[in-house]
Amino acid sequence: MFQRRVVRASKFRHVFGQAGKNDQCYDDIRVSKVTWDSSLCAVNPKFVAIIIDASGGGAFIVLPLQKMGRIDKAYPTVCGHTGPVLDIEWCPHNDHVIASGSEDCAVMIWQIPENGLTLPITDPVVTLEGHSKKVGIVSWHPTARNVLLSAGADNIIFIWNVGTAEPMITLDMHPDLIYSTSWNRNGSRICTTCKDKNLRVIDPRKEEVITEIKAHEGSRPVRAVFLANDNILTTGFSRMSERQLALWNIENGTCIAQHELDSSNGVLIPFYDADTNVVYVSGKGDCTIRYFEITDEAPFVHYLNAFGSKEPQRGMGYMPKRGVDVTKCEIARFFKLHERKCEPIIMTVPRKSDLYQDDLYPDTAGPEPALEAEEWFEGKNKDPILISMKDGYVPVKNREFKPQRTCLDKRQKKNESGDTPLKGTSLNANSESKLDELVQEIKTLKATVASQDERIANLEEQMAKIAN
Protein backbone atom coordinates (compact mmCIF):
# COMPACT_ATOMS: atom_id res chain seq x y z
CA MET A 1 0.00 0.00 0.00
CA PHE A 2 1.29 3.51 -0.87
CA GLN A 3 2.35 5.47 2.20
CA ARG A 4 2.42 9.25 2.09
CA ARG A 5 5.75 10.76 3.07
CA VAL A 6 5.09 13.00 6.06
CA VAL A 7 8.52 14.61 6.43
CA ARG A 8 10.15 16.31 3.47
CA ALA A 9 13.43 14.68 2.46
CA SER A 10 16.37 17.07 2.59
CA LYS A 11 20.02 16.63 3.47
CA PHE A 12 20.00 20.06 5.13
CA ARG A 13 17.17 19.42 7.60
CA HIS A 14 19.65 18.80 10.41
CA VAL A 15 22.07 21.66 9.82
CA PHE A 16 23.20 23.04 13.14
CA GLY A 17 25.31 26.01 14.16
CA GLN A 18 28.14 26.05 16.65
CA ALA A 19 29.81 29.18 18.04
CA GLY A 20 33.59 29.31 18.26
CA LYS A 21 35.31 28.94 21.63
CA ASN A 22 36.85 31.96 23.32
CA ASP A 23 40.32 31.23 21.95
CA GLN A 24 38.86 31.13 18.40
CA CYS A 25 37.37 34.65 18.64
CA TYR A 26 38.88 38.03 17.77
CA ASP A 27 38.67 40.14 20.94
CA ASP A 28 38.92 43.80 21.87
CA ILE A 29 37.82 45.22 18.49
CA ARG A 30 36.00 48.56 18.54
CA VAL A 31 33.21 47.66 16.11
CA SER A 32 31.77 50.68 14.29
CA LYS A 33 28.60 52.28 15.63
CA VAL A 34 27.44 53.73 12.29
CA THR A 35 23.68 53.50 11.83
CA TRP A 36 23.94 52.46 8.16
CA ASP A 37 22.44 48.99 7.61
CA SER A 38 25.51 47.19 6.26
CA SER A 39 27.02 43.96 7.56
CA LEU A 40 30.19 45.84 8.80
CA CYS A 41 32.28 42.74 8.12
CA ALA A 42 33.77 41.04 5.05
CA VAL A 43 35.53 37.66 4.97
CA ASN A 44 37.54 35.55 2.51
CA PRO A 45 39.69 32.40 2.91
CA LYS A 46 42.67 34.51 4.10
CA PHE A 47 41.38 37.56 5.97
CA VAL A 48 38.54 38.99 8.02
CA ALA A 49 37.92 42.75 7.65
CA ILE A 50 35.83 44.69 10.19
CA ILE A 51 34.72 48.35 10.08
CA ILE A 52 35.80 49.99 13.35
CA ASP A 53 35.28 53.22 15.24
CA ALA A 54 38.00 55.69 14.35
CA SER A 55 38.54 59.30 15.33
CA GLY A 56 39.22 61.82 12.58
CA GLY A 57 37.94 59.73 9.67
CA GLY A 58 36.97 56.20 8.76
CA ALA A 59 38.90 52.97 9.14
CA PHE A 60 38.64 49.21 9.05
CA ILE A 61 40.88 46.51 10.44
CA VAL A 62 42.13 43.52 8.41
CA LEU A 63 43.16 40.39 10.32
CA PRO A 64 44.60 37.11 9.00
CA LEU A 65 42.09 34.37 9.86
CA GLN A 66 44.60 32.62 12.12
CA LYS A 67 45.25 35.76 14.23
CA MET A 68 42.71 34.91 16.93
CA GLY A 69 42.65 36.14 20.52
CA ARG A 70 43.01 39.67 21.86
CA ILE A 71 43.85 42.28 19.22
CA ASP A 72 46.22 45.02 20.37
CA LYS A 73 44.77 48.53 20.36
CA ALA A 74 47.78 49.67 18.34
CA TYR A 75 47.17 47.08 15.60
CA PRO A 76 47.50 48.81 12.19
CA THR A 77 44.34 49.70 10.24
CA VAL A 78 43.31 50.75 6.75
CA CYS A 79 42.58 54.42 7.37
CA GLY A 80 42.57 56.49 4.18
CA HIS A 81 38.95 57.70 4.27
CA THR A 82 38.13 61.11 5.75
CA GLY A 83 34.60 60.05 6.80
CA PRO A 84 33.20 56.88 8.44
CA VAL A 85 33.44 53.72 6.32
CA LEU A 86 29.96 52.35 5.52
CA ASP A 87 30.59 49.21 3.44
CA ILE A 88 33.48 46.90 2.52
CA GLU A 89 33.75 43.90 0.19
CA TRP A 90 36.61 41.60 -0.80
CA CYS A 91 37.31 41.10 -4.48
CA PRO A 92 36.15 37.55 -5.44
CA HIS A 93 39.11 37.20 -7.84
CA ASN A 94 41.94 38.41 -5.59
CA ASP A 95 42.02 37.64 -1.87
CA HIS A 96 44.30 40.62 -1.21
CA VAL A 97 42.12 43.34 -2.77
CA ILE A 98 39.23 44.99 -0.90
CA ALA A 99 36.88 47.85 -1.81
CA SER A 100 35.42 50.35 0.66
CA GLY A 101 32.71 53.01 0.46
CA SER A 102 32.48 55.94 2.86
CA GLU A 103 30.64 59.06 3.96
CA ASP A 104 33.42 61.06 2.25
CA CYS A 105 31.73 60.20 -1.12
CA ALA A 106 34.73 58.13 -2.29
CA VAL A 107 35.20 54.46 -3.16
CA MET A 108 38.71 53.18 -2.47
CA ILE A 109 40.49 50.00 -3.57
CA TRP A 110 43.15 48.62 -1.22
CA GLN A 111 45.91 46.04 -1.63
CA ILE A 112 46.55 44.03 1.55
CA PRO A 113 50.07 42.52 1.98
CA GLU A 114 50.49 38.74 1.87
CA ASN A 115 50.78 38.30 5.65
CA GLY A 116 48.42 41.09 6.70
CA LEU A 117 49.15 44.61 7.93
CA THR A 118 52.37 45.57 9.67
CA LEU A 119 51.86 49.32 9.23
CA PRO A 120 48.70 51.43 8.78
CA ILE A 121 47.66 51.86 5.13
CA THR A 122 46.57 55.38 4.19
CA ASP A 123 47.05 55.37 0.40
CA PRO A 124 44.68 53.23 -1.69
CA VAL A 125 45.71 51.59 -4.94
CA VAL A 126 42.85 53.38 -6.71
CA THR A 127 40.34 56.04 -5.63
CA LEU A 128 37.03 56.16 -7.50
CA GLU A 129 35.40 59.58 -7.33
CA GLY A 130 32.03 60.42 -8.84
CA HIS A 131 29.37 60.24 -6.14
CA SER A 132 28.13 63.54 -4.72
CA LYS A 133 26.89 62.01 -1.44
CA LYS A 134 27.96 59.20 0.86
CA VAL A 135 28.63 55.76 -0.68
CA GLY A 136 26.77 53.02 1.22
CA ILE A 137 27.12 50.02 -1.11
CA VAL A 138 30.10 48.47 -2.92
CA SER A 139 29.72 45.18 -4.81
CA TRP A 140 32.20 43.35 -7.07
CA HIS A 141 31.06 41.68 -10.30
CA PRO A 142 30.88 37.88 -9.74
CA THR A 143 32.63 36.79 -12.97
CA ALA A 144 34.43 39.78 -14.60
CA ARG A 145 37.79 41.02 -13.38
CA ASN A 146 38.01 44.59 -12.00
CA VAL A 147 34.32 45.49 -12.40
CA LEU A 148 32.82 47.17 -9.32
CA LEU A 149 29.36 48.55 -8.56
CA SER A 150 28.87 51.41 -6.13
CA ALA A 151 25.64 53.02 -4.94
CA GLY A 152 25.36 56.25 -2.98
CA ALA A 153 22.90 58.46 -1.16
CA ASP A 154 22.76 60.53 -4.36
CA ASN A 155 20.49 57.68 -5.64
CA ILE A 156 22.96 56.88 -8.44
CA ILE A 157 24.68 53.58 -9.25
CA PHE A 158 28.09 53.66 -10.92
CA ILE A 159 29.68 50.57 -12.49
CA TRP A 160 33.44 51.10 -12.65
CA ASN A 161 36.31 49.62 -14.57
CA VAL A 162 38.67 49.61 -11.60
CA GLY A 163 41.71 49.03 -13.83
CA THR A 164 41.21 52.42 -15.49
CA ALA A 165 39.32 54.10 -12.59
CA GLU A 166 36.52 55.11 -14.96
CA PRO A 167 32.75 54.97 -14.34
CA MET A 168 31.70 53.06 -17.47
CA ILE A 169 27.97 52.93 -16.63
CA THR A 170 25.80 55.42 -14.72
CA LEU A 171 22.33 54.28 -13.61
CA ASP A 172 20.14 57.21 -12.54
CA MET A 173 16.72 55.52 -12.27
CA HIS A 174 15.97 55.49 -8.53
CA PRO A 175 13.81 58.32 -7.11
CA ASP A 176 14.98 57.73 -3.54
CA LEU A 177 17.68 56.08 -1.39
CA ILE A 178 18.97 52.69 -2.64
CA TYR A 179 18.85 50.07 0.14
CA SER A 180 20.56 47.09 -1.52
CA THR A 181 21.94 45.72 -4.78
CA SER A 182 22.68 42.17 -5.95
CA TRP A 183 24.25 40.70 -9.10
CA ASN A 184 22.77 37.57 -10.66
CA ARG A 185 24.99 34.49 -11.06
CA ASN A 186 26.68 35.50 -14.32
CA GLY A 187 26.55 39.24 -13.66
CA SER A 188 24.29 40.13 -16.60
CA ARG A 189 21.64 41.76 -14.39
CA ILE A 190 21.35 43.49 -11.05
CA CYS A 191 18.40 43.78 -8.71
CA THR A 192 17.95 46.78 -6.40
CA THR A 193 15.65 47.79 -3.57
CA CYS A 194 14.78 51.40 -2.88
CA LYS A 195 13.06 53.61 -0.32
CA ASP A 196 10.09 53.89 -2.73
CA LYS A 197 9.35 50.20 -1.76
CA ASN A 198 10.00 48.93 -5.32
CA LEU A 199 12.17 46.01 -6.34
CA ARG A 200 13.84 46.63 -9.71
CA VAL A 201 15.63 44.24 -12.04
CA ILE A 202 18.03 46.17 -14.26
CA ASP A 203 20.08 45.34 -17.34
CA PRO A 204 23.06 47.58 -16.51
CA ARG A 205 24.67 47.62 -19.96
CA LYS A 206 21.41 48.60 -21.69
CA GLU A 207 20.69 50.96 -18.77
CA GLU A 208 17.05 49.89 -18.60
CA VAL A 209 14.67 48.51 -15.99
CA ILE A 210 13.41 45.03 -16.99
CA THR A 211 10.97 44.47 -14.12
CA GLU A 212 9.62 46.69 -11.35
CA ILE A 213 7.62 45.18 -8.47
CA LYS A 214 6.23 46.58 -5.23
CA ALA A 215 7.93 44.15 -2.86
CA HIS A 216 6.86 44.87 0.75
CA GLU A 217 4.25 47.27 2.13
CA GLY A 218 6.24 48.45 5.16
CA SER A 219 8.36 51.60 5.18
CA ARG A 220 11.48 49.97 6.70
CA PRO A 221 14.43 48.96 4.46
CA VAL A 222 14.08 46.00 2.07
CA ARG A 223 16.95 43.68 1.07
CA ALA A 224 17.06 41.52 -2.06
CA VAL A 225 19.34 38.78 -3.38
CA PHE A 226 19.38 36.99 -6.75
CA LEU A 227 19.06 33.20 -6.58
CA ALA A 228 20.75 30.69 -8.91
CA ASN A 229 17.60 30.24 -11.05
CA ASP A 230 17.20 34.04 -11.43
CA ASN A 231 14.33 34.24 -8.97
CA ILE A 232 14.78 36.86 -6.24
CA LEU A 233 14.46 36.53 -2.48
CA THR A 234 13.58 39.67 -0.49
CA THR A 235 13.40 40.51 3.21
CA GLY A 236 11.24 43.41 4.37
CA PHE A 237 8.33 44.52 6.49
CA SER A 238 4.55 44.35 6.27
CA ARG A 239 2.28 47.35 6.77
CA MET A 240 1.99 46.25 10.42
CA SER A 241 5.82 46.21 10.75
CA GLU A 242 6.08 42.42 10.80
CA ARG A 243 9.27 41.08 9.25
CA GLN A 244 8.72 39.12 6.03
CA LEU A 245 10.60 36.86 3.64
CA ALA A 246 9.34 36.68 0.05
CA LEU A 247 10.28 34.80 -3.14
CA TRP A 248 9.65 36.45 -6.53
CA ASN A 249 9.47 35.21 -10.10
CA ILE A 250 10.83 38.13 -12.09
CA GLU A 251 9.70 36.78 -15.48
CA ASN A 252 6.04 37.42 -14.65
CA GLY A 253 6.50 39.68 -11.61
CA THR A 254 4.59 37.44 -9.19
CA CYS A 255 5.22 36.53 -5.57
CA ILE A 256 5.78 32.75 -5.35
CA ALA A 257 5.93 32.52 -1.55
CA GLN A 258 5.79 34.81 1.47
CA HIS A 259 6.54 34.09 5.14
CA GLU A 260 5.82 36.22 8.20
CA LEU A 261 8.73 35.84 10.62
CA ASP A 262 8.27 38.07 13.68
CA SER A 263 7.64 41.68 14.71
CA SER A 264 11.19 42.75 15.55
CA ASN A 265 12.49 45.99 13.99
CA GLY A 266 16.01 44.96 12.86
CA VAL A 267 16.62 44.92 9.10
CA LEU A 268 17.06 41.32 7.92
CA ILE A 269 20.17 40.64 5.81
CA PRO A 270 20.01 37.52 3.59
CA PHE A 271 23.14 35.43 2.82
CA TYR A 272 22.60 33.04 -0.08
CA ASP A 273 24.54 29.85 -0.81
CA ALA A 274 24.06 29.10 -4.52
CA ASP A 275 25.58 25.60 -4.19
CA THR A 276 23.09 24.28 -1.64
CA ASN A 277 20.18 26.71 -2.26
CA VAL A 278 20.13 27.57 1.43
CA VAL A 279 19.45 31.15 2.57
CA TYR A 280 20.65 32.34 5.98
CA VAL A 281 18.87 35.38 7.41
CA SER A 282 20.12 37.53 10.27
CA GLY A 283 19.21 40.99 11.51
CA LYS A 284 21.07 43.66 13.44
CA GLY A 285 20.13 43.37 17.09
CA ASP A 286 18.92 39.78 16.65
CA CYS A 287 20.32 36.87 18.62
CA THR A 288 19.44 34.29 15.95
CA ILE A 289 20.38 33.22 12.43
CA ARG A 290 17.47 31.51 10.63
CA TYR A 291 18.05 29.31 7.62
CA PHE A 292 15.72 28.28 4.81
CA GLU A 293 16.03 25.92 1.87
CA ILE A 294 14.74 27.10 -1.52
CA THR A 295 13.27 24.37 -3.79
CA ASP A 296 11.25 24.16 -7.02
CA GLU A 297 8.30 22.51 -5.22
CA ALA A 298 5.60 24.20 -3.15
CA PRO A 299 5.84 25.83 -0.67
CA PHE A 300 9.23 26.75 -2.28
CA VAL A 301 10.73 28.29 0.88
CA HIS A 302 11.25 25.67 3.61
CA TYR A 303 12.23 26.67 7.14
CA LEU A 304 15.12 24.48 8.35
CA ASN A 305 16.24 25.69 11.75
CA ALA A 306 17.68 28.61 13.69
CA PHE A 307 20.95 29.17 15.52
CA GLY A 308 20.44 31.15 18.71
CA SER A 309 22.77 32.82 21.19
CA LYS A 310 22.46 35.20 24.14
CA GLU A 311 24.31 38.17 22.62
CA PRO A 312 22.73 40.32 19.87
CA GLN A 313 24.73 40.80 16.69
CA ARG A 314 26.04 44.16 15.47
CA GLY A 315 26.94 42.82 12.04
CA MET A 316 27.77 39.62 10.19
CA GLY A 317 30.45 38.39 7.78
CA TYR A 318 29.89 35.41 5.46
CA MET A 319 32.72 33.18 4.25
CA PRO A 320 32.71 32.20 0.54
CA LYS A 321 32.18 28.45 0.06
CA ARG A 322 35.83 27.88 -0.93
CA GLY A 323 36.84 28.89 2.60
CA VAL A 324 34.90 26.23 4.55
CA ASP A 325 36.41 23.08 6.10
CA VAL A 326 35.14 20.07 4.09
CA THR A 327 36.67 17.58 6.56
CA LYS A 328 34.15 18.70 9.21
CA CYS A 329 31.12 18.72 6.84
CA GLU A 330 31.01 22.50 7.26
CA ILE A 331 28.65 24.13 4.74
CA ALA A 332 28.79 27.75 5.95
CA ARG A 333 30.80 29.95 8.29
CA PHE A 334 29.72 33.29 9.72
CA PHE A 335 31.65 35.92 11.64
CA LYS A 336 29.30 37.50 14.16
CA LEU A 337 30.16 40.98 15.43
CA HIS A 338 29.54 41.88 19.07
CA GLU A 339 30.26 45.27 20.58
CA ARG A 340 33.94 44.41 21.21
CA LYS A 341 34.37 40.99 19.62
CA CYS A 342 34.11 38.95 16.43
CA GLU A 343 32.90 35.37 16.92
CA PRO A 344 33.01 32.64 14.23
CA ILE A 345 29.87 30.49 13.87
CA ILE A 346 30.18 27.24 11.94
CA MET A 347 27.21 25.55 10.23
CA THR A 348 27.64 21.80 9.76
CA VAL A 349 25.65 18.84 8.46
CA PRO A 350 26.21 15.91 10.85
CA ARG A 351 27.56 12.79 9.09
CA LYS A 352 28.93 9.58 10.58
CA SER A 353 31.53 9.01 7.90
CA ASP A 354 34.86 10.86 7.85
CA LEU A 355 35.05 10.60 4.06
CA TYR A 356 34.47 13.52 1.69
CA GLN A 357 30.72 14.13 1.29
CA ASP A 358 30.39 15.02 -2.39
CA ASP A 359 26.60 15.54 -2.14
CA LEU A 360 27.22 18.50 0.23
CA TYR A 361 29.88 20.08 -1.96
CA PRO A 362 28.98 20.51 -5.63
CA ASP A 363 31.62 22.41 -7.61
CA THR A 364 31.70 26.01 -6.41
CA ALA A 365 32.77 29.35 -7.85
CA GLY A 366 36.57 29.66 -7.82
CA PRO A 367 38.79 32.75 -7.69
CA GLU A 368 39.58 32.82 -11.41
CA PRO A 369 37.55 35.45 -13.35
CA ALA A 370 35.65 34.18 -16.40
CA LEU A 371 35.87 37.53 -18.23
CA GLU A 372 38.04 40.62 -18.44
CA ALA A 373 36.37 43.96 -17.68
CA GLU A 374 36.48 45.07 -21.32
CA GLU A 375 34.76 41.87 -22.50
CA TRP A 376 31.90 42.37 -20.04
CA PHE A 377 31.38 46.03 -20.97
CA GLU A 378 31.29 44.91 -24.65
CA GLY A 379 28.30 42.65 -23.83
CA LYS A 380 29.75 39.19 -23.13
CA ASN A 381 28.39 36.99 -20.32
CA LYS A 382 29.95 33.91 -18.73
CA ASP A 383 29.07 31.78 -15.71
CA PRO A 384 31.62 31.55 -12.87
CA ILE A 385 34.57 29.16 -13.36
CA LEU A 386 33.90 26.31 -10.93
CA ILE A 387 36.41 24.40 -8.78
CA SER A 388 36.11 21.11 -6.90
CA MET A 389 36.15 21.13 -3.09
CA LYS A 390 37.24 17.50 -2.81
CA ASP A 391 40.72 18.18 -1.42
CA GLY A 392 39.73 21.46 0.22
CA TYR A 393 40.60 24.87 -1.18
CA VAL A 394 44.19 26.02 -0.75
CA PRO A 395 44.54 29.81 -1.11
CA VAL A 396 47.04 30.71 -3.80
CA LYS A 397 49.44 33.64 -3.77
CA ASN A 398 47.59 36.37 -5.63
CA ARG A 399 49.41 38.62 -8.03
CA GLU A 400 49.63 42.28 -7.07
CA PHE A 401 46.76 44.44 -8.27
CA LYS A 402 48.03 47.09 -10.68
CA PRO A 403 45.94 49.78 -12.36
CA GLN A 404 46.33 49.89 -16.12
CA ARG A 405 48.78 52.29 -17.72
CA THR A 406 45.90 54.39 -19.12
CA CYS A 407 44.77 54.96 -15.53
CA LEU A 408 48.23 56.20 -14.55
CA ASP A 409 48.64 58.36 -17.66
CA LYS A 410 45.26 59.96 -17.00
CA ARG A 411 46.35 60.93 -13.49
CA GLN A 412 49.62 62.33 -14.84
CA LYS A 413 47.67 64.59 -17.22
CA LYS A 414 45.52 65.70 -14.29
CA ASN A 415 48.68 66.63 -12.40
CA GLU A 416 49.94 68.66 -15.35
CA SER A 417 46.62 70.49 -15.69
CA GLY A 418 46.70 71.39 -12.00
CA ASP A 419 43.67 69.29 -11.02
CA THR A 420 43.66 67.21 -7.87
CA PRO A 421 44.91 63.74 -8.77
CA LEU A 422 43.07 60.62 -7.74
CA LYS A 423 44.83 59.32 -4.67
CA GLY A 424 47.16 56.34 -4.55
CA THR A 425 47.98 55.88 -8.24
CA SER A 426 49.33 59.15 -9.69
CA LEU A 427 52.84 59.06 -11.18
CA ASN A 428 54.54 62.16 -12.55
CA ALA A 429 57.81 62.51 -14.46
CA ASN A 430 59.71 63.44 -11.31
CA SER A 431 58.61 60.30 -9.41
CA GLU A 432 59.40 58.13 -12.46
CA SER A 433 62.96 59.50 -12.61
CA LYS A 434 63.31 58.85 -8.86
CA LEU A 435 62.13 55.28 -9.47
CA ASP A 436 64.81 54.84 -12.15
CA GLU A 437 67.44 56.18 -9.73
CA LEU A 438 66.32 53.70 -7.06
CA VAL A 439 66.46 50.79 -9.52
CA GLN A 440 70.00 51.84 -10.54
CA GLU A 441 71.05 52.16 -6.90
CA ILE A 442 69.70 48.66 -6.14
CA LYS A 443 71.69 47.24 -9.09
CA THR A 444 74.86 48.94 -7.79
CA LEU A 445 74.27 47.57 -4.28
CA LYS A 446 73.75 44.06 -5.67
CA ALA A 447 77.03 44.29 -7.62
CA THR A 448 78.85 45.52 -4.47
CA VAL A 449 77.45 42.65 -2.37
CA ALA A 450 78.50 40.11 -5.03
CA SER A 451 82.08 41.44 -5.14
CA GLN A 452 82.29 41.49 -1.33
CA ASP A 453 81.05 37.88 -1.23
CA GLU A 454 83.83 36.91 -3.65
CA ARG A 455 86.44 38.77 -1.57
CA ILE A 456 85.26 37.08 1.67
CA ALA A 457 85.42 33.65 0.00
CA ASN A 458 89.05 34.34 -1.12
CA LEU A 459 90.04 35.49 2.38
CA GLU A 460 88.46 32.38 3.95
CA GLU A 461 90.42 30.22 1.50
CA GLN A 462 93.71 31.95 2.42
CA MET A 463 92.96 31.60 6.18
CA ALA A 464 92.31 27.90 5.70
CA LYS A 465 95.69 27.46 3.96
CA ILE A 466 97.51 29.34 6.81
CA ALA A 467 95.75 27.21 9.44
CA ASN A 468 96.89 23.99 7.69
Side-chain angles (χ1 to χ4, degrees):
M1 184 180 172
F2 174 78
Q3 284 189 331
R4 182 171 170 270
R5 183 182 289 156
V6 178
V7 179
R8 186 181 67 89
S10 168
K11 49 180 163 287
F12 303 111
R13 277 184 57 235
H14 301 291
V15 172
F16 76 98
Q18 188 169 13
K21 296 175 182 173
N22 284 338
D23 59 354
Q24 296 171 319
C25 296
Y26 308 85
D27 285 312
D28 213 12
I29 296 170
R30 306 181 309 280
V31 177
S32 174
K33 294 183 176 68
V34 292
T35 54
W36 187 256
D37 285 314
S38 76
S39 54
L40 303 181
C41 181
V43 192
N44 70 20
K46 285 187 176 180
F47 300 105
V48 53
I50 301 164
I51 301 174
I52 59 170
D53 260 343
S55 55
F60 58 95
I61 193 167
V62 176
L63 303 169
L65 285 185
Q66 64 273 19
K67 188 173 176 57
M68 294 169 274
R70 185 180 173 277
I71 307 301
D72 196 292
K73 286 181 182 175
Y75 194 86
T77 61
V78 180
C79 49
H81 284 286
T82 56
V85 177
L86 301 180
D87 196 22
I88 50 176
E89 183 167 293
W90 289 103
C91 175
H93 308 125
N94 188 330
D95 286 341
H96 292 267
V97 172
I98 187 168
S100 61
S102 165
E103 281 190 12
D104 63 10
C105 309
V107 177
M108 294 184 179
I109 312 299
W110 309 87
Q111 175 96 28
I112 305 301
E114 181 70 29
N115 298 312
L117 303 182
T118 52
L119 294 168
I121 298 182
T122 54
D123 291 325
V125 184
V126 180
T127 300
L128 307 174
E129 292 174 330
H131 287 284
S132 59
K133 292 186 178 179
K134 65 183 179 184
V135 181
I137 299 169
V138 289
S139 179
W140 292 93
H141 192 283
T143 63
R145 191 199 308 274
N146 291 348
V147 176
L148 179 74
L149 176 153
S150 66
D154 50 9
N155 310 335
I156 293 173
I157 292 174
F158 286 116
I159 299 180
W160 306 83
N161 182 340
V162 175
T164 60
E166 292 177 307
M168 305 297 287
I169 296 169
T170 303
L171 302 174
D172 188 1
M173 49 188 63
H174 295 83
D176 215 325
L177 184 66
I178 300 163
Y179 285 141
S180 74
T181 65
S182 174
W183 296 94
N184 68 348
R185 189 157 172 79
N186 67 3
S188 60
R189 296 177 176 182
I190 57 173
C191 70
T192 66
T193 58
C194 178
K195 198 172 181 179
D196 67 356
K197 304 181 185 178
N198 284 0
L199 166 69
R200 293 173 176 83
V201 178
I202 300 167
D203 185 325
R205 288 166 297 191
K206 291 182 180 175
E207 298 184 21
E208 64 181 30
V209 177
I210 299 168
T211 307
E212 191 167 343
I213 307 164
K214 186 141 188 174
H216 295 271
E217 294 287 337
S219 57
R220 301 274 293 136
V222 176
R223 291 297 188 109
V225 61
F226 255 116
L227 306 184
N229 59 2
D230 268 3
N231 286 343
I232 293 175
L233 184 118
T234 61
T235 60
F237 294 79
S238 70
R239 199 187 294 269
M240 304 300 293
S241 292
E242 292 173 314
R243 293 200 292 190
Q244 296 176 325
L245 189 83
L247 185 65
W248 302 88
N249 181 329
I250 59 167
E251 297 303 322
N252 53 28
T254 58
C255 181
I256 303 171
Q258 191 174 73
H259 289 259
E260 305 278 340
L261 298 180
D262 55 33
S263 55
S264 184
N265 62 358
V267 176
L268 288 169
I269 302 174
F271 299 92
Y272 174 61
D273 181 357
D275 302 329
T276 59
N277 263 328
V278 174
V279 174
Y280 304 86
V281 178
S282 73
K284 277 193 178 182
D286 287 6
C287 299
T288 58
I289 303 172
R290 297 179 177 89
Y291 22 110
F292 301 82
E293 187 177 2
I294 313 295
T295 66
D296 296 327
E297 301 170 359
F300 305 107
V301 179
H302 306 270
Y303 174 75
L304 293 173
N305 208 337
F307 166 81
S309 60
K310 293 178 182 176
E311 295 289 327
Q313 54 231 15
R314 294 280 297 277
M316 192 73 73
Y318 179 60
M319 174 72 77
K321 181 56 74 70
R322 56 194 170 91
V324 302
D325 188 347
V326 297
T327 61
K328 296 178 181 174
C329 295
E330 178 185 333
I331 62 165
R333 192 187 311 169
F334 291 91
F335 287 74
K336 174 182 173 179
L337 299 185
H338 300 248
E339 196 172 334
R340 304 277 299 186
K341 182 171 81 168
C342 175
E343 174 187 43
I345 296 168
I346 293 169
M347 301 289 179
T348 54
V349 177
R351 294 283 170 93
K352 290 180 181 177
S353 172
D354 291 333
L355 299 174
Y356 174 72
Q357 307 292 315
D358 56 358
D359 62 321
L360 296 181
Y361 301 105
D363 289 354
T364 192
E368 196 62 34
L371 292 167
E372 294 299 325
E374 293 74 17
E375 293 178 298
W376 185 79
F377 286 115
E378 286 166 6
K380 291 184 182 177
N381 294 318
K382 276 191 181 177
D383 285 339
I385 295 173
L386 304 181
I387 58 171
S388 171
M389 293 289 290
K390 184 161 187 179
D391 300 315
Y393 171 73
V394 179
V396 293
K397 185 172 181 179
N398 290 98
R399 66 177 180 276
E400 187 178 353
F401 173 80
K402 290 182 181 176
Q404 293 172 12
R405 184 72 211 179
T406 51
C407 178
L408 302 179
D409 290 343
K410 193 165 54 174
R411 283 153 181 68
Q412 190 170 328
K413 284 176 188 171
K414 276 195 140 191
N415 266 356
E416 290 163 3
S417 65
D419 291 339
T420 305
L422 289 164
K423 299 174 189 173
T425 53
S426 52
L427 286 178
N428 52 32
N430 188 32
S431 62
E432 283 186 357
S433 65
K434 282 183 181 176
L435 186 63
D436 291 338
E437 283 174 25
L438 283 170
V439 170
Q440 195 57 46
E441 196 174 325
I442 289 166
K443 284 181 181 175
T444 308
L445 284 169
K446 281 184 175 177
T448 307
V449 170
S451 65
Q452 292 294 342
D453 280 348
E454 196 175 330
R455 186 165 172 268
I456 290 165
N458 289 336
L459 286 169
E460 284 176 345
E461 209 173 302
Q462 287 173 18
M463 288 296 291
K465 284 178 183 176
I466 292 166
N468 290 336

